[in-house]
Amino acid sequence: ADRVRFTSVSLLDPDDQPALAFGEGSPLRVDLRFDVREPVRFLELYVRVKSIEGQRLFASYAGQVESTIYPGRYRSICEIPENPLRPGRYVIELVARAADPEDIVPTAVVFAVEAGHLEEENLRYATRADGLIRVRSSWTGFERDDSPASALEREPRLVGP
């Protein structure tokens, strides 16, 4: 379709300066610049975050703009306040689409997430390969379970499909 073209992308640090490395848990702010060459309706931009191997991890969608966007230069910032990425290297992919895809930049920027920046960080877990995404969770304390075991629970078994 070619009516919309990304012209630049940068990741911003808390001082609005471009950066390519962020502490674990730090917000991700993606500064997108794009040109609109012909009037376009139903434009939607999105940012995909992928592993360095290309696996899609998550996406953020700007939401479809129903009104007409007229030719000119535009800027938008996508902010992901709770960056769930574990330490490693990642890729930002940019997508602009209307009724049809307008522009896709599969490797718009490569960036790093660095360990040791979370206040509650337990260094015991910082170096383990526990996946690519950190999720918030909470656990109860361990409670004794004195209820009678059912017949199924007496047999050791794997829980699964």
Side-chain angles (χ1 to χ4, degrees), residues 39-44 62-70 97-98:
V40 61
R41 286 188 68 202
F42 305 111
L43 179 63
E44 182 171 35
Q64 196 175 67
V65 178
E66 291 186 19
S67 58
T68 301
I69 298 177
Y70 292 96
R97 64 173 298 124

Side-chain angles (χ1 to χ4, degrees), residues 91-104:
V91 174
I92 296 280
E93 177 178 70
L94 303 179
V95 179
R97 64 173 298 124
D100 298 306
E102 297 288 340
D103 195 14
I104 298 175

Side-chain angles (χ1 to χ4, degrees), residues 57-77:
L57 303 176
F58 59 87
S60 177
Y61 296 86
Q64 196 175 67
V65 178
E66 291 186 19
S67 58
T68 301
I69 298 177
Y70 292 96
R73 289 186 160 167
Y74 293 87
R75 175 186 187 195
S76 185
I77 295 177

Side-chain angles (χ1 to χ4, degrees), residues 12-123:
L12 302 177
D13 70 10
D15 298 319
D16 287 337
Q17 298 303 307
L20 292 175
F22 298 86
E24 192 173 3
S26 298
L28 284 180
R29 295 174 59 229
V30 186
D31 184 352
L32 312 170
R33 313 286 172 120
F34 59 98
D35 287 344
V36 174
R37 298 174 179 177
E38 298 173 27
V40 61
R41 286 188 68 202
F42 305 111
L43 179 63
E44 182 171 35
L45 303 182
Y46 43 106
V47 168
R48 286 188 182 124
V49 177
K50 304 185 297 187
S51 70
I52 205 76
E53 297 81 22
Q55 175 69 42
R56 292 179 184 171
L57 303 176
F58 59 87
S60 177
Y61 296 86
Q64 196 175 67
V65 178
E66 291 186 19
S67 58
T68 301
I69 298 177
Y70 292 96
R73 289 186 160 167
Y74 293 87
R75 175 186 187 195
S76 185
I77 295 177
C78 166
E79 181 165 357
I80 299 161
E82 292 188 20
N83 170 9
L85 298 171
R86 306 243 343 132
R89 293 179 67 217
Y90 300 93
V91 174
I92 296 280
E93 177 178 70
L94 303 179
V95 179
R97 64 173 298 124
D100 298 306
E102 297 288 340
D103 195 14
I104 298 175
V105 184
T107 307
V109 67
V110 176
F111 69 100
V113 172
E114 299 172 336
H117 292 266
L118 294 178
E119 288 177 21
E120 78 277 6
E121 185 85 72
N122 182 334
L123 295 179

Side-chain angles (χ1 to χ4, degrees), residues 119-153:
E119 288 177 21
E120 78 277 6
E121 185 85 72
N122 182 334
L123 295 179
R124 180 172 163 216
Y125 302 114
T127 59
R128 296 205 178 162
D130 288 330
L132 300 173
I133 303 288
R134 171 190 290 271
V135 296
R136 284 182 178 261
S137 61
S138 63
W139 287 62
T140 64
F142 295 164
E143 302 168 4
R144 267 189 83 81
D145 183 1
D146 293 323
S147 59
S150 70
L152 283 176
E153 290 172 332

